[in-house]
Amino acid sequence: QLKLVESGGGLVQPGGSRRLSCAASGFTLEHYTLGWFRQAPGKEREGISCISGSIVSTHYADSVKGRFTISRDSAKNTVYLQMNSLKPEDTAIYYCAAGYYRDILSPRLYDYWGQGTQVTVSS
């Protein structure tokens, strides 16, 4: 019943921008923490941003702070990740996930996951 579907990935030049979307169904966004995570080849899954609550609270990993922005549109039941000033090291599969804790970027504390969308930053 609870479903998350990411979209918006693709090939981006260094310094470029990309917006990822995560369409949610089967639950109310305000009742969960929604997180964005990424996993590069050979590396562990990394939490990069999350958004929580009926009163919005956001949190960012240091690696993306100042470049990425998380937001949500409750009317569309969708969460977004705006990515600016992209670097080659941002290349990864990006996932959205839902969990029950606020301001948490640990993947193991999220219970529901989307299928991921590939972002490749290369010239």
Side-chain angles (χ1 to χ4, degrees):
Q1 294 181 1
L2 198 157
K3 184 178 179 181
L4 301 168
V5 180
E6 303 96 333
S7 62
L11 178 63
V12 191
Q13 293 187 1
S17 298
R18 197 83 175 183
R19 189 180 77 161
L20 306 182
S21 299
C22 177
S25 61
F27 67 101
T28 302
L29 288 178
E30 290 80 5
H31 294 172
Y32 290 82
T33 294
L34 271 295
W36 283 101
F37 301 80
R38 65 187 183 188
Q39 188 163 18
K43 297 184 178 180
E44 295 183 350
R45 191 164 297 186
E46 173 191 16
I48 56 175
S49 187
C50 62
I51 185 167
S52 304
S54 57
I55 300 175
V56 175
S57 177
T58 59
H59 188 68
Y60 297 91
D62 289 342
S63 59
V64 305
K65 194 174 298 181
R67 299 189 298 122
F68 292 10
T69 303
I70 191 169
S71 63
R72 71 186 186 201
D73 186 335
S74 295
K76 297 181 178 180
N77 218 38
T78 299
V79 63
Y80 303 96
L81 184 69
Q82 178 66 47
M83 305 184 295
N84 299 324
S85 302
L86 284 163
K87 306 173 182 179
E89 53 262 43
D90 294 318
T91 296
I93 301 174
Y94 283 72
Y95 299 89
C96 65
Y100 301 105
Y101 299 94
R102 296 178 65 89
D103 301 324
I104 297 295
L105 292 178
S106 177
R108 71 180 186 87
L109 296 179
Y110 286 74
D111 298 294
Y112 309 102
W113 293 83
Q115 84 290 344
T117 185
Q118 177 71 46
V119 175
T120 301
V121 184
S122 177
S123 59

